[in-house]
Amino acid sequence: AQSVTQLDSQVPVFEEAPVELRCNYSSSVSVYLFWYVQYPNQGLQLLLKYLSGSTLVKGINGFEAEFNKSQTSFHLRKPSVHISDTAEYFCAVRDLYNTDKLIFGTGTRLQVFP
Amino acid sequence: EAGVAQSPRYKIIEKRQSVAFWCNPISGHATLYWYQQILGQGPKLLIQFQNNGVVDDSQLPKDRFSAERLKGVDSTLKIQPAKLEDSAVYLCASSLQGAGETQYFGPGTRLLVL
């Protein structure tokens, strides 16, 4: 069965510093990949998604992610974070051949300090 | 456009009581999802509807959970009787038909079972 691993449960970073949130998924022939953000007491909001084409995907709020098929990774990056980026970030995968279900990772808490 | 609406936002009940959650998806979205998000974990799909029909309910504890989507629009999720381990946030999401379509999430209902 498809699974998603977010190795870092928490990532502390200073404001204006770059950040990378790591995501790995179990191998599959064809997948769609997503990053969602969850602010306190709110639902999830889509940051970006990879369906096909260019492996570098740009999303909202200055975030981008790179799909690496050989390493089965989809790491999220931002060159300069703001206090307002403090939130929980979830990586998710949809395995198109085994199930149409969206599988989420356990999340990474990004804490931005002034 | 209005987002996914959920009610109530918060609910506290005692174990063995029953509870119901309501979801109104984005207008025109054929697919509706109910997720359970336990503290510290990513959302887990409970049930997926395509219009009126159930697409996937493999992870729904059917001895105590039930869900319906009458007329292919609003949906209710019920728990009867509730257990302590049902304490979680219940998220509703909707999307247009298609595996690559973005799922839009509501704010969730936070349930505490005492």
Side-chain angles (χ1 to χ4, degrees), chain B residues 22 33-35 40 52 54 61 63 96 106 113-114:
Chain B
W22 173 81
Y33 313 80
W34 282 102
Y35 288 87
N52 287 345
V54 175
D63 58 333
L96 294 168
V113 182
L114 302 176

Side-chain angles (χ1 to χ4, degrees), chain A residues 19-75:
Chain A
V19 70
E20 178 181 82
L21 306 184
R22 297 181 292 169
C23 172
N24 288 87
Y25 62 96
S26 53
S27 180
S28 177
V29 175
S30 185
V31 293
Y32 289 164
L33 295 156
F34 305 79
W35 273 100
Y36 280 85
V37 60
Q38 187 175 35
Y39 298 103
N41 297 318
Q42 294 186 28
L44 281 72
Q45 179 184 3
L46 182 72
L47 276 177
L48 49 79
K49 61 182 178 182
Y50 171 79
L51 304 183
S52 64
S54 173
T55 57
L56 184 63
V57 181
K58 294 191 182 297
I60 62 171
N61 301 340
F63 284 93
E64 64 181 31
E66 186 159 15
F67 169 58
N68 188 318
K69 189 173 183 178
S70 62
Q71 298 185 8
T72 61
S73 68
F74 191 55
H75 301 331

Side-chain angles (χ1 to χ4, degrees), chain A residues 36 38 41 43 49 90 94 101, chain B residues 9 37 56 99-100 102 106:
Chain A
Y36 280 85
Q38 187 175 35
N41 297 318
K49 61 182 178 182
F90 292 94
R94 177 168 259 161
K101 191 181 304 182
Chain B
R9 290 295 312 275
Q37 186 178 17
D56 186 343
T102 299

